[in-house]
Amino acid sequence: MTATDIGADFFARHLSVTPVIGIFRGEDPSTTVELCRRAWEFGVDLVEIPVQSESALPSLEAAVEAARDHGKQIGAGTVTTVRRLRAVQEIGVAFTVAPGLHPEVVAASAEAALPHLPGVATATDIANALETGHTWLKAFPAKQLGAPWITAHLAPFPDVRFVATGGIGAHNAAEFLSAGCAAVAVGSALADPAVLPLLREAVSPMT
């Protein structure tokens, strides 16, 4: 099985029951772990901790350690350089995510057999990602692209599995899933108990 096959299998397996990736950015380690636990209680298997700077690494480390005790998977987001990839790999992440398609990161992830979710926003991005063997792609920024963008791009690229990311919450998750997304990535909706029932309703028809 190739590295890209491993990635496709990984995301399909972990997003088949609850099509949600949790994203918790800019929180201290203890808050990050608490938010991860809320996401796991909701049924989320995959949580992403963005690491746009080294200051986020302690929170990522805390989440990875907590995930081991719960049998869950933590990934690192905003992995835009090979140096950053190596740093999060050393921490023990299960997958990586990027806002765009970074060829050097794609190659390094494949070499490390680490599932990678590259970002796309145009048909050219999608075509280039498919050339690297990636079928699971982060549609970013999803809110600005809009749900119709998903449907329109699935027509010429039916093998793609989009994960809508950026501005997705309980109020619009169902719209993107209905448009054809394989999953959505949300943050504040998982952190707010008041909107969890709405999010559950949004994703439950897809499970």
Side-chain angles (χ1 to χ4, degrees), residues 141-165:
K143 182 179 179 181
Q144 285 72 24
L145 293 173
W149 183 95
I150 301 295
T151 306
H153 285 80
L154 283 173
F157 301 110
D159 294 330
V160 167
R161 300 292 178 264
F162 286 119
V163 179
T165 309

Side-chain angles (χ1 to χ4, degrees), residues 49-65:
I49 309 299
V51 289
Q52 62 272 25
S53 69
E54 289 188 2
S55 64
L57 292 178
S59 292
L60 176 64
E61 291 184 55
V64 168
E65 184 176 348

Side-chain angles (χ1 to χ4, degrees), residues 15-96:
L15 294 170
S16 62
V17 177
T18 302
V20 176
I21 296 178
I23 302 181
F24 304 122
R25 180 193 303 272
E27 302 290 351
D28 62 65
S30 61
T31 302
T32 298
V33 169
E34 176 57 31
L35 292 173
C36 287
R37 286 176 177 150
R38 291 185 191 179
W40 297 330
E41 289 171 2
F42 183 81
V44 169
D45 270 353
L46 303 182
V47 171
E48 171 193 341
I49 309 299
V51 289
Q52 62 272 25
S53 69
E54 289 188 2
S55 64
L57 292 178
S59 292
L60 176 64
E61 291 184 55
V64 168
E65 184 176 348
R68 292 194 186 102
D69 297 333
H70 291 78
K72 300 296 183 180
Q73 307 291 333
I74 297 293
T78 323
V79 179
T80 55
T81 66
V82 173
R83 179 181 178 182
R84 193 169 292 172
L85 174 68
R86 300 301 184 212
V88 301
Q89 183 184 10
E90 191 172 314
I91 289 172
V93 299
F95 64 100
T96 56

